[in-house]
Amino acid sequence: MNVLSHPRITSFIGGQPVSPGGRDAFENIDPATGEVVSTVEVATAEDVDHAVSAARAALSGPWGKLTLDQRARALHAIADGIEARFDDFLRAEMLDTGKPVNLASHLDIPRGAANFRAFAETLKHAPGEFFPMVAPDGGDALNYTLRGPRGVIGVICPWNLPFLLMTWKVAPALACGNTVVVKPSEETPSTAALLGEVMREAGIPDGVYNVVQGFGPGSAGQYLTEHQGIDGITFTGETRTGEAIMRAAAKGVRPVSFELGGKNAGIVFADCDMEKALEQTARAVFMNAGQVCLQTERLYVERPIFDAFVEGLAERARALKPGDPFDKATSFGPVISAEHKDKITGYYDVAARHGANVVTGGGLYAMDGRLAGGNWVEPTIWTGLDDADTVLREEIFGPCVHIAPFDDEDEAITRANDSEFGLASMLWTQDLSRAHRVGARLQSGITWVNCWFLRDLRTAFGGMKHSGIGREGGVHGLEFYTELRNICIKL
Ligand code: NAD
């Protein structure tokens, strides 16, 4: 059963779902079972054009005239609407992604609502500049800044945390007075469509929130990024997709905000609280079947605790329970698609060929009944590979980690930083000075010390090196979501 009032999922343009029929369509597959859960109609270039026009028209309509307080109330109304339809969002997200109910109900859907609440007041706290000056004629002049919306924002999202990451962009965009055209991942079309219904119920003016369904290259994603009516593109996804989007954005010199791939390192010192380190590292590696951009794929563990740590993490991996995502006892879900399953197990084969010691996992779960048709990849731990190995250099985006021993602090930092990516890092030590010292030297947009994925939405979020461009979160996203203007008045 599909929770959407339109069992055939279509784009959402100008405040209405597009009438079904007459477009190419594809099947949306439940990753847990391989069964078809809905059919999705692909937006045409003309649909994308209509969506951009609707978004542009809405900028100068009632939406553009709202005060900051009125806009903040609108964002809270959207959050209320998500909470009122929590179960619909939960079911839609679970069927799209196969996430276990415990994860989706505690993380994805609550964060979707929380994003709208967190950004509702952002602009009110935006710092401004004020510079009195003396002009060359000796008279006074005054400079001050004003912020306005950037315009129509193209929002392109991945499939791993679809609702959380989409609302993470839509909320600040709307808070700043922009309008949006969203292109959800083809793997996860449902919650973006449902949010359209919530927008209508919350009284958000037509055209403020639009969704175009479809694929990337040669489809809705490419049409959207190339459309000259888009004033800025915010994208979360793979680094090489970011490169293609950047090329499209070059025409018309449109700004981009990118949250891209990672190959995140964790460093575990021998003085850590072992139980906590193991518990949180198991989350950092295996949560969402490893399909989290912040996931740890490279671990460096100080030699005296290396063997005990490897065995402790392996025990936790073996204790994970794959199963029906709707069963509360399930703690481990499938990966998103058969194609992604093949990509991950391809790396499992490479690791084995390159002589890795497979501590646990390394293959597929044998599932029974309906679940036999799903994409069930085993959680996997390797040791024994060289830092230069492909398995340690490329993002796998699966439930797997390589663990290597280290002997001193400098060595650990150098090896952790030896990556073209720089999204997140994790550090376990009870030595406060070392935590500061090492934290300051790790090349990543975010470093967690004695924790993982502890997020305060007011903080700057983004990646260094190939992991991104710009920062979002709190007032940091204003750089992208607003245009800053200076007014100079000769007094
Ligand atoms: P992806 O790059 O394959 O796709 C992301 C989106 O881009 C999809 O909606 C897709 O249809 C669209 N797209 C693809 N090619 C396009 C093109 N040429 N033009 C326009 N749109 C295009 O990424 P994915 O597989 O959906 O997600 C996994 C990736 O996302 C991983 O690399 C992961 O690290 C990254 N990620 C990063 C963060 C972060 O915050 N840094 C968060 C989550 C995921």
Side-chain angles (χ1 to χ4, degrees):
M1 191 197 83
N2 198 292
V3 295
L4 297 167
S5 49
H6 301 274
R8 209 172 158 90
I9 297 177
T10 61
S11 299
F12 182 87
I13 298 176
Q16 297 293 333
V18 170
S19 305
R23 289 172 181 77
D24 290 345
F26 64 93
E27 289 175 335
N28 179 25
I29 308 289
D30 177 352
T33 60
E35 292 166 5
V36 177
V37 290
S38 56
T39 304
V40 187
E41 291 205 6
V42 178
T44 60
E46 201 181 18
D47 291 331
V48 173
D49 192 42
H50 287 158
V52 175
S53 301
R56 183 147 302 282
L59 281 175
S60 47
W63 180 248
K65 298 182 178 60
L66 295 186
T67 63
L68 282 186
D69 278 336
Q70 288 169 327
R71 262 205 325 263
R73 278 200 290 279
L75 264 75
H76 283 296
I78 298 168
D80 292 343
I82 294 168
E83 284 161 0
R85 297 190 63 181
F86 189 94
D87 290 345
D88 290 346
F89 277 99
L90 181 62
R91 188 174 169 79
E93 193 80 322
M94 287 177 61
L95 289 176
D96 276 2
T97 61
K99 282 173 201 284
V101 64
N102 281 334
L103 180 63
S105 63
H106 287 107
L107 175 68
D108 299 77
I109 311 307
R111 259 292 293 284
N115 282 334
F116 284 98
R117 298 206 192 283
F119 288 105
E121 317 283 337
T122 298
L123 255 195
K124 280 191 178 172
H125 306 296
E129 273 181 5
F130 168 78
F131 290 123
M133 68 180 280
V134 178
D137 67 2
D140 288 327
L142 190 62
N143 293 277
Y144 65 93
T145 49
L146 287 179
R147 276 183 195 277
R150 184 171 288 288
V152 180
I153 304 291
V155 179
I156 302 190
C157 309
W159 46 259
N160 64 319
L161 303 166
F163 190 53
L164 184 161
L165 289 170
M166 188 248 307
T167 51
W168 164 250
K169 293 176 178 300
V170 170
L174 299 193
C176 294
N178 301 286
T179 58
V180 295
V181 181
V182 176
K183 211 299 279 172
S185 167
E186 54 275 25
E187 305 285 359
T188 52
S190 305
T191 46
L194 258 182
L195 188 61
E197 297 183 8
V198 165
M199 293 283 174
R200 280 172 50 186
E201 287 152 13
I204 305 304
D206 294 351
V208 171
Y209 173 84
N210 305 275
V211 181
V212 290
Q213 300 283 2
F215 302 89
S219 184
Q222 185 180 339
Y223 304 149
L224 186 61
T225 54
E226 288 179 352
H227 200 294
Q228 293 300 302
I230 293 289
D231 299 304
I233 301 164
T234 176
F235 166 72
T236 300
E238 282 190 37
T239 299
R240 65 163 184 257
T241 310
E243 289 170 350
I245 292 177
M246 215 168 169
R247 282 193 288 275
K251 185 161 167 39
V253 284
R254 278 94 42 79
V256 296
S257 176
F258 281 174
E259 295 172 352
L260 306 176
K263 186 73 184 177
N264 308 307
I267 303 178
V268 185
F269 287 96
D271 69 355
C272 71
D273 178 327
M274 188 81 157
E275 268 313 295
K276 283 192 187 141
L278 281 169
E279 179 199 309
Q280 290 302 308
T281 302
R283 278 182 73 227
V285 174
F286 302 123
M287 192 177 97
N288 205 34
Q291 303 163 117
V292 179
C293 54
L294 308 163
Q295 187 234 12
T296 306
E297 290 195 359
R298 297 180 295 139
L299 265 173
Y300 299 97
V301 177
E302 205 168 3
R303 201 173 298 274
I305 61 163
F306 180 77
D307 290 341
F309 192 90
V310 170
E311 196 36 49
L313 196 65
E315 259 173 42
R316 281 163 174 77
R318 291 182 202 113
L320 290 166
K321 285 196 169 42
D324 179 354
F326 287 89
D327 181 344
K328 286 193 172 140
T330 297
S331 58
F332 191 79
V335 300
I336 190 72
S337 62
E339 189 190 352
H340 194 51
K341 176 187 74 179
D342 292 345
K343 177 186 160 186
I344 296 167
T345 51
Y347 280 101
Y348 286 13
D349 294 343
V350 171
R353 268 205 316 278
H354 290 187
N357 170 37
V358 183
V359 180
T360 188
L364 298 172
Y365 282 116
M367 304 297 282
D368 295 329
R370 289 175 64 218
L371 300 181
N375 315 309
W376 298 92
V377 177
E378 280 183 331
T380 294
I381 298 174
W382 303 288
T383 59
L385 289 177
D386 191 84
D387 283 358
D389 198 285
T390 325
V391 172
L392 273 86
R393 306 223 57 93
E394 297 176 3
E395 180 184 46
I396 301 173
F397 218 55
C400 51
V401 67
H402 180 269
I403 316 183
F406 72 87
D407 293 301
D408 74 57
E409 192 177 299
D410 263 346
E411 177 203 340
I413 295 169
T414 305
R415 293 172 72 184
N417 285 342
D418 180 20
S419 169
E420 65 188 29
F421 296 103
L423 186 57
S425 54
M426 182 177 72
L427 169 59
W428 290 88
T429 177
Q430 301 208 61
D431 177 336
L432 186 60
S433 302
R434 173 148 64 194
H436 285 288
R437 201 166 56 231
V438 178
R441 290 180 59 198
L442 287 174
Q443 295 166 355
S444 57
I446 183 161
T447 295
W448 278 292
V449 180
N450 297 335
C451 59
W452 179 73
F453 209 157
L454 190 55
R455 292 277 293 116
D456 182 326
L457 304 185
R458 294 168 299 181
T459 59
F461 182 85
M464 295 170 64
K465 304 195 240 180
H466 293 188
S467 291
I469 297 180
R471 295 291 181 272
E472 299 202 16
V475 295
H476 305 282
L478 295 177
E479 196 67 31
F480 173 76
Y481 290 111
T482 63
E483 283 283 7
L484 187 65
R485 293 185 296 135
N486 187 70
I487 311 285
C488 178
I489 303 182
K490 180 85 194 317
L491 300 175

